[in-house]
Amino acid sequence: MGLTMKRTLINELKQHLGQEVLVQGWVQEVRNLSKIKFVILRDRTGDMQTLALQTDTEPDSFALIDTLTKESVVEIIGIPKENKESRWEIEVLIKKLSIISMAEVPLPTDNTDKSQTQIDKRLDYRFLDVRNVKKNAIFKVRSKLVKIVTNFFDKNGFTNINTPKMTTIGVESGAELFEVNYFGKPVYLAQSPQVYKQMFVVGGFERVYEIAPVFRAEKSHTMRHLTEFTGVDFEMGFIQDEHDVMDFIEKMVKDLLKNVKKEAAAELGMLGVELSLPKKIPRLTMAAAKKLLAEKGKTFSEDADLDSESEKLLGELIKEKYNSEFVFITNYPWAVKPFYHMKSEKFPNTTKSFDLLYNGVEIASGSQREHRVEVWRAQAREKGLDPATMTKYEELFRYGCPPHGGAGFGLDRITHRLLKLDNIREAVLLPRDPERVSP
Ligand code: AMO
């Protein structure tokens, strides 16, 4: 059955009212009122109601509906009709129904909107979980974000690069490395593409970006940390200072929000998310941010980093004061940033660095890099690192290196904040954390 008919997707049915169509998908729900039976069907474009009537549906198909289990895959030949009273506005009158793949009972998880299944179990059966249209929508939005950001890099003269994820180089202070046995030799999973992105700015591309996994052996049990996440990293040459990088990010964020609002309107609507477009993103030095926090009774030493609680509070204060969901916090203390950041002359003991907070959570961090080899060596030593152990990094600054800077975003963090999800794991298909490495 159906072999000679072309499949019609659920969101195309409007164009086929009154004509015989073939629809295929998963059974979301069956309601049997004896003379009339409803099958809610779902495909990649959404869900809809189909109905079987004793008078119109082939008797074998009518009987088969009684045996249908939830999440089975079926195909239906039927006629789409308008029904203004139904929430779908269109329903398909079933002529013939056949089962392609019957789902076993019971299902291991409940993937309906009313589900009480805990997140751990849902993640164990993620392929069932994301059949739910709302869960699915999160990943449609995420997919759009990648597309939009890729276009933006492309339009701005960036070259997409792929850098190794097994490496001997780790330069992110505070982020631990996962060791891998590489034919008996220890190597590490990349904790960032930092050195490589700088390498190919120096390699003459000037502007490079990479969207790829990043590994962090951190035993953090929070709603925003993972041990593997997707980094959106970029690096640009011939900058004046770190403000050029922030200017670029500001344009990128505006473009991202404007386009996702347009291109993922249906998904955002389904998830109840209203996006407001950013205007000017305020830039506050860390010292100024600490002053704001002090007014609310949160005090920090000059050298301290912000904790997640103060980032959240800062998010609220910025919203109040500047009516902005975004803020750049600039000039982090040298003590809390990696050695490769350029130090600031204007603000002593700080680096030409910034973090971007979105609704009170850090979604990106970046800086101007130190490209003067003597200064670079001195800064490494100051942080207790031996430049002789990083010759492949050091060489980048010895054979013609323009001033440069860049930043790294967490794609999972962007999705998490943009959709106001309570847990970063909701924004990742198969999250990795200290307890989870499967499936
Ligand atoms: P950083 O270590 O701040 O900077 O990471 C950049 C961005 O990656 C995201 N992120 C994480 N997301 C989920 N789980 C984690 N454990 C996690 N750690 C970080 C955050 C963060 O802002 N090389 C620099 C970037 C640069 O300067 O270009 C770096 O890796 O969104």
Side-chain angles (χ1 to χ4, degrees), residues 79 135 242 374:
I79 316 248
K135 297 288 184 297
E242 73 280 21
E374 289 305 332

Side-chain angles (χ1 to χ4, degrees), residues 324-343:
S324 174
E325 291 180 305
F326 292 88
V327 60
F328 284 111
I329 307 297
T330 69
N331 298 94
Y332 276 68
W334 158 251
V336 302
K337 286 291 182 187
F339 81 98
Y340 58 80
H341 284 200
M342 187 177 273
K343 287 188 183 180

Side-chain angles (χ1 to χ4, degrees), residues 107-302:
L107 290 168
T109 60
D110 175 3
N111 65 2
T112 64
D113 285 347
K114 295 187 193 104
S115 172
Q116 297 290 320
T117 310
Q118 296 298 306
I119 184 162
D120 255 349
K121 190 83 187 274
R122 284 180 30 227
L123 294 174
D124 285 343
Y125 291 93
R126 197 51 146 161
F127 68 94
L128 289 178
D129 190 54
V130 290
R131 284 188 199 169
N132 176 290
V133 286
K134 286 187 188 156
K135 297 288 184 297
N136 199 280
I138 295 174
F139 296 93
K140 297 259 176 72
V141 174
R142 185 178 154 126
S143 170
K144 283 286 180 217
L145 292 175
V146 172
K147 186 212 117 181
I148 296 163
V149 106
T150 301
N151 277 349
F152 190 73
F153 281 128
D154 193 59
K155 273 191 298 210
N156 283 280
F158 282 75
T159 301
N160 176 251
I161 58 170
N162 299 106
T163 69
K165 300 305 153 210
M166 288 188 291
T167 178
T168 51
I169 315 171
V171 295
E172 306 304 343
S173 50
E176 299 301 320
L177 294 157
F178 282 114
E179 195 175 301
V180 175
N181 179 343
Y182 194 72
F183 306 116
K185 235 177 41 193
V187 300
Y188 305 100
L189 295 180
Q191 58 174 191
S192 84
Q194 187 58 43
V195 174
Y196 297 117
K197 57 182 185 166
Q198 289 184 251
M199 189 179 282
F200 293 104
V201 166
V202 180
F205 294 105
E206 293 186 19
R207 294 182 157 203
V208 294
Y209 76 98
E210 180 171 27
I211 302 176
V214 171
F215 303 92
R216 303 275 166 104
E218 294 166 51
K219 282 218 162 150
S220 302
H221 296 87
T222 74
M223 296 299 172
R224 59 202 194 128
H225 285 95
L226 298 166
T227 50
E228 176 179 341
F229 64 91
T230 303
V232 179
D233 271 272
F234 73 91
E235 199 72 20
M236 51 206 278
F238 297 98
I239 59 168
Q240 299 278 344
D241 60 23
E242 73 280 21
H243 287 280
D244 283 352
V245 184
M246 284 186 268
D247 290 346
F248 177 74
I249 292 181
E250 191 163 332
K251 280 196 207 127
M252 177 173 137
V253 165
K254 285 178 184 165
D255 181 84
L256 190 64
L257 267 83
K258 187 181 94 196
N259 284 307
V260 81
K261 200 172 167 164
K262 202 165 58 194
E263 294 184 31
E267 287 80 9
L268 292 170
M270 202 182 291
L271 295 167
V273 174
E274 263 191 55
L275 291 182
S276 46
L277 300 182
K279 293 176 203 94
K280 180 93 195 113
I281 300 183
R283 294 175 196 185
L284 236 69
T285 62
M286 179 67 132
K290 283 180 178 166
K291 242 189 216 151
L292 268 185
L293 289 167
E295 286 167 21
K296 297 283 166 188
K298 279 223 128 229
T299 52
F300 292 89
S301 70
E302 200 184 312

